[in-house]
Amino acid sequence: MIPTPSGMDIALSGAAVRFGTFQAVHPTDLTIEAGEFFSILGPSGCGKTTILRLLSGFLDPSEGEVRIGGRPMAGIGPSDRPTALIFQNLALFPLMTVWENVAFGLEMRGWKTARRRARAFELLEIVALDGQGDKLPAEISGGQRQRVAIARALAVEPAVLLLDEPLSALDLKLRQHMRAELKQLQEATGITFVYITHDQGEALTMSDRVAVMNRGRIVQVGSADDVYDRPATAFVATFVGEMNHLPGRIESVAGDRARIATPGGSFLAPNPGGLAPGTEAVLFLRPERLHLLGPGEVAANGIDGHLLRRDMEGAFSTLIVETAAGRLTVQRVNSGAGGLPAGPLRLGFADSAGVILPAGETADDAA
Amino acid sequence: MTRLRRSFGAPMAALIVLLTGTWVLGLIAAPQVIMIEQSLWKMDRPAGADELSVQIDRLYNRLDMLMLDRAAARTLRTPSATEAKLAQIDAERAALAAEIADLETAERTPVKTWTLSNYAQMGQAHLRIFAKTILASLAVTAIAFAVCYPIAFAIAKLEPPRRAALIMLALVIPYAINELLRVFAWQMILNYGGPLNAALGLVGIGPVPFLESGSGVFVAMVYAYILFMVFPLYNVLETLDTNQIEAARDLGAKTWQIHRRIVLPHARPGIAVGCIMTFMLSAGSYSVPYIMTRGTAAPWFAQLVYNRFFQASDWNVGAAYAVSLLAVCTGFVFLMMRLLKVRLRDIAK
């Protein structure tokens, strides 16, 4: 049976980490609900692993406070926190058998051999590794090792499971499969999961909420839909998913929409930041929100272009279209109608499709 | 052979085979074989030497009889008969003398006899020194390990790489000085009137006879061979994934549990190499005990071997002593490998 400790909530208040003169994490306030699947998404070096180390206890905040389950964690080491960490490289103990790995935490708590062996085999059954207990980690496959790491962390019945890009070493198929399993496990156990990743696909599919980080700051916290459809900054817009940029200047504002003038024409789009007319801004547009306009068809926004290339990707195809506002990427669901002749065409998009944000650092700048 | 030729070409393959052969024969086999051969024989009085000496005595008696005969011959009647008799006796004497000389050389020239008796030559006193040397070397090895393990761990896992390199450099620097000089320096430090006793005197302790009690040998040996323990340990600890230490801590392991369950098992090959080297060097050390005790404490076994060779001039027994030490050291190597569950392949790495 699956251990059922209830998850605990996590609160960072003003927590910051400095290494010498380098500010790894700026003062951060963050609340993670008990039993939530929470992802921290960001490029490498953005400070997400540092936050994980704050939670696991390998690092103390330079200022501010970390609370888990309402209890301040200052002075409490990794071994005494209600957390368990799954490492990016898993960090299985290579000289111990699979079941000894799983039972390690119990061994440290003084369980007798027979009892902890029985418990380890129970846990191995939960992660579908029956019969693998007496092998060495080197003798099982990557996906199986992954499960051993999960079972090892679950053995100590943590209230919070911290995962540091644990799927990054797996191949694509296995990764997708493990995503589903992790999500299932989280729902079954009710443990709070904090999942660190630079892979937006992982973050979007599994999480209840996602925090996007850049340069030591959390720039947006929200559901997968929020982060994808309603990005708060240019960085979030470009880091999560594919994005077309159309830089321009705000022409007029009407309610929560604004009209932005770009070299390719002027377009109506949501203006969540309430930017005033005259402001330099960028219209961000998802490739799948752009569609081809047939003859006589109209849309709230239209832009003329010229098809450069079509990449067939299976379920959809990607069109690269040259326009006066720059090169745009368009994604079309594959209807089976085959290719498109190269040449002039007209693209359209709804006035709710894009988002106008102040120009700022984008993921491409950061990389 | 065919593979070598295919990979490197015939001349290169021949050179490789030649060099490997030279290495195996000259560096590994020859010294051991010669020492073992030397220990397996001795020069002995020839077989039947006792009968020979009886025979020689008998011949001497015959010679004496001939002298009497000769004296009697002078009184014969005819001079011609006397002449003839004397000549006959002299010829017989010459033949006898030659025979005696032959037999005497045969009696004296020793023959090479194959025997295991050289190994039985170790008396009670020497056996005790042998045992003491082995035990003391084990103690030196244990002390060196106890000192080096924390150092190696700290450098490999706790220090930033740049500082670790500096510390390693600092550890190596003393080894740029000749071993004898370093040992002499320690001899002076630990001497009766040396700086350490002077310092102890200031706090009202002392003077402690470090050298005479034999403890000086320990200090100097640990110092002399510590590097052979530090480096293998450092090398193997450096390869330990720090995440494993953190994972263990995260799962609730205390520091000593981390070392017992994670770090020490990982370090086994390095521990084996370090212990084997330190033990072998200590057990075979000649100069360190020689300098540190100045003959005031009981000798180490290597000194006995030296004495067999150069003072007692008994190379065969000396060789037997040396082979005994070699056997114990080899035994130690296998014991360490068995204890630490290390295979030769791990050590070679």
Side-chain angles (χ1 to χ4, degrees):
Chain A
M1 62 128 219
I2 291 174
T4 49
S6 47
M8 285 184 184
D9 65 313
I10 297 168
L12 299 185
S13 36
V17 179
R18 250 188 320 275
F19 298 120
T21 57
F22 174 65
Q23 186 85 36
V25 175
H26 291 273
T28 299
D29 294 308
L30 178 68
T31 310
I32 300 171
E33 304 297 333
E36 190 176 19
F37 198 124
F38 190 89
S39 290
I40 301 178
L41 175 66
S44 58
C46 71
K48 57 190 192 295
T49 299
T50 309
I51 288 199
L52 201 72
R53 293 178 74 79
L54 275 183
L55 300 179
S56 57
F58 287 108
L59 203 61
D60 284 320
S62 316
E63 51 189 271
E65 194 189 38
V66 177
R67 284 166 174 269
I68 297 176
R71 199 156 61 105
M73 286 288 126
I76 299 178
S79 45
D80 300 318
R81 294 198 178 189
T83 59
L85 180 55
I86 294 182
F87 288 79
Q88 182 164 14
N89 67 354
L90 306 182
L92 296 182
F93 307 127
L95 302 174
M96 298 182 201
T97 60
V98 164
W99 83 262
E100 284 175 318
N101 263 283
V102 173
F104 186 82
L106 305 175
E107 183 186 341
M108 295 303 113
R109 282 160 178 71
W111 286 36
K112 293 272 175 293
T113 310
R115 190 174 162 220
R116 62 171 193 260
R117 189 183 151 92
R119 182 73 184 121
F121 277 89
E122 257 175 56
L123 285 159
L124 285 172
E125 217 165 296
I126 293 172
V127 294
L129 281 179
D130 346 22
Q132 311 287 329
D134 289 313
K135 292 185 180 166
L136 287 174
E139 295 166 344
I140 57 178
S141 71
Q144 290 175 325
R145 277 201 285 276
Q146 185 72 57
R147 289 167 205 205
V148 175
I150 292 169
R152 185 176 73 175
L154 289 179
V156 298
E157 309 200 351
V160 175
L161 195 61
L162 307 167
L163 303 102
D164 187 3
E165 310 210 18
L167 304 185
S168 56
L170 303 182
D171 59 54
L172 182 67
K173 265 264 154 49
L174 200 53
R175 206 153 62 213
Q176 284 170 343
H177 179 71
M178 287 306 295
R179 279 183 200 171
E181 273 190 19
L182 276 178
K183 180 68 186 159
Q184 236 170 28
L185 188 71
Q186 191 266 336
E187 279 163 2
T189 56
I191 300 174
T192 311
F193 273 41
V194 180
Y195 192 97
I196 298 291
T197 183
H198 66 269
D199 181 325
Q200 38 128 347
E202 281 175 18
L204 296 181
T205 47
M206 291 188 287
S207 320
D208 297 319
R209 282 194 305 153
V210 180
V212 182
M213 269 193 93
N214 187 34
R215 296 188 189 274
R217 289 180 211 278
I218 291 180
V219 284
Q220 186 174 4
V221 181
S223 68
D225 293 303
D226 286 339
V227 170
Y228 189 80
D229 288 328
R230 290 173 287 282
T233 69
F235 177 81
V236 177
T238 49
F239 186 74
V240 182
E242 289 283 307
M243 199 57 115
N244 290 307
H245 319 203
L246 291 88
R249 184 185 299 272
I250 307 275
E251 222 170 47
S252 62
V253 178
D256 58 354
R257 303 272 146 94
R259 184 161 283 282
I260 181 168
T262 73
S266 86
F267 308 110
L268 195 61
N271 177 24
L275 300 176
T279 321
E280 296 277 353
V282 182
L283 169 60
F284 290 101
L285 260 179
R286 294 282 177 203
E288 69 274 16
R289 303 284 155 79
L290 278 162
H291 51 266
L292 286 179
L293 289 180
E297 254 184 283
V298 281
N301 297 297
I303 181 168
D304 287 313
H306 185 88
L307 179 65
L308 289 181
R309 202 172 80 225
R310 171 182 179 265
D311 295 333
M312 169 63 185
E313 305 203 24
F316 56 86
S317 55
T318 302
L319 311 181
I320 310 290
V321 179
E322 186 77 59
T323 69
R327 215 166 260 196
L328 298 183
T329 308
V330 182
Q331 248 169 32
R332 289 181 88 208
V333 173
N334 187 5
S335 62
L340 263 174
L345 46 72
R346 188 166 168 77
L347 299 172
F349 57 98
D351 59 356
S352 61
V355 58
I356 299 173
L357 293 170
E361 188 190 18
T362 65
D364 310 321
D365 303 335
Chain B
M1 189 68 208
T2 329
R3 272 232 316 269
L4 269 181
R5 208 175 54 220
R6 209 171 294 150
S7 318
F8 300 107
M12 202 58 195
L15 187 66
I16 291 172
V17 169
L18 182 75
L19 288 176
T20 315
T22 313
W23 183 280
V24 170
L25 283 179
L27 275 75
I28 304 174
Q32 318 292 341
V33 168
I34 284 175
M35 196 52 96
I36 291 173
E37 194 263 357
Q38 183 85 234
S39 73
L40 287 179
W41 55 264
K42 62 177 179 180
M43 297 310 281
D44 223 348
R45 293 180 69 207
D50 291 338
E51 290 88 81
L52 271 181
S53 60
V54 172
Q55 205 181 335
I56 292 168
D57 285 348
R58 209 177 290 137
L59 288 176
Y60 270 114
N61 285 342
R62 275 285 305 279
L63 205 59
D64 288 346
M65 295 292 286
L66 278 176
M67 291 307 278
L68 287 176
D69 287 350
R70 199 165 183 276
R74 283 186 202 285
T75 56
L76 282 178
R77 276 150 296 155
T78 53
S80 62
T82 308
E83 283 292 309
K85 190 69 183 172
L86 278 180
Q88 185 211 338
I89 290 173
D90 280 348
E92 211 173 319
R93 267 177 61 208
L96 262 180
E99 194 182 347
I100 288 174
D102 276 354
L103 284 176
E104 277 182 341
T105 23
E107 186 203 22
R108 262 192 238 111
T109 312
V111 274
K112 186 170 161 180
T113 332
W114 294 97
T115 172
L116 283 171
S117 67
N118 292 327
Y119 288 92
Q121 294 298 308
M122 227 188 272
Q124 198 71 44
H126 285 186
L127 261 179
R128 198 170 301 133
I129 291 173
F130 185 65
K132 193 203 78 175
T133 302
I134 300 300
L135 289 178
S137 303
L138 286 175
V140 168
T141 309
I143 295 172
F145 176 71
V147 171
C148 292
Y149 178 73
I151 296 177
F153 182 78
I155 301 173
K157 285 291 133 204
L158 307 179
E159 296 295 334
R162 180 189 293 264
R163 199 166 337 141
L166 271 179
I167 296 174
M168 286 315 275
L169 185 68
L171 279 175
V172 180
I173 284 175
Y175 288 80
I177 306 166
N178 182 297
E179 177 183 324
L180 287 183
L181 300 187
R182 279 182 286 132
V183 176
F184 268 116
W186 269 101
Q187 200 250 24
M188 287 184 253
I189 294 171
L190 296 178
N191 212 338
Y192 223 68
L196 185 59
N197 266 323
L200 284 177
L202 289 179
V203 270
I205 306 169
V208 185
F210 291 110
L211 302 181
E212 289 74 6
S213 67
S215 53
V217 180
F218 274 99
V219 177
M221 262 200 200
V222 171
Y223 174 72
Y225 302 130
I226 209 158
L227 210 58
F228 297 96
M229 185 67 94
V230 159
F231 268 113
L233 284 180
Y234 171 76
N235 280 340
V236 74
L237 287 175
E238 222 213 340
T239 63
L240 175 63
D241 175 13
T242 309
N243 280 352
Q244 287 195 15
I245 297 174
E246 295 196 338
R249 170 157 294 137
D250 188 59
L251 291 167
K254 296 178 182 56
T255 303
W256 67 271
Q257 287 172 314
I258 292 174
H259 283 275
R260 191 176 64 82
R261 293 290 278 137
I262 311 294
V263 186
L264 281 171
H266 175 85
R268 280 180 340 211
I271 296 174
V273 171
C275 286
I276 287 168
M277 293 223 275
T278 311
F279 176 80
M280 300 262 236
L281 286 168
S282 313
S285 179
Y286 174 76
S287 58
V288 176
Y290 185 76
I291 295 168
M292 291 308 286
T293 63
R294 297 166 304 170
T296 53
W300 281 45
F301 194 69
Q303 289 168 285
L304 285 184
V305 176
Y306 181 88
N307 289 347
R308 285 299 102 187
F309 274 95
F310 293 110
Q311 282 172 12
S313 283
D314 194 341
W315 284 45
N316 305 103
V317 174
Y321 276 31
V323 172
S324 308
L325 187 60
L326 175 73
V328 170
C329 287
T330 314
F332 180 78
V333 171
F334 286 110
L335 181 74
M336 286 310 283
M337 285 168 56
R338 172 61 63 88
L339 277 181
L340 294 168
K341 300 193 194 73
V342 177
R343 285 158 305 167
L344 267 181
R345 209 158 35 131
D346 300 325
I347 291 183
K349 266 192 266 175

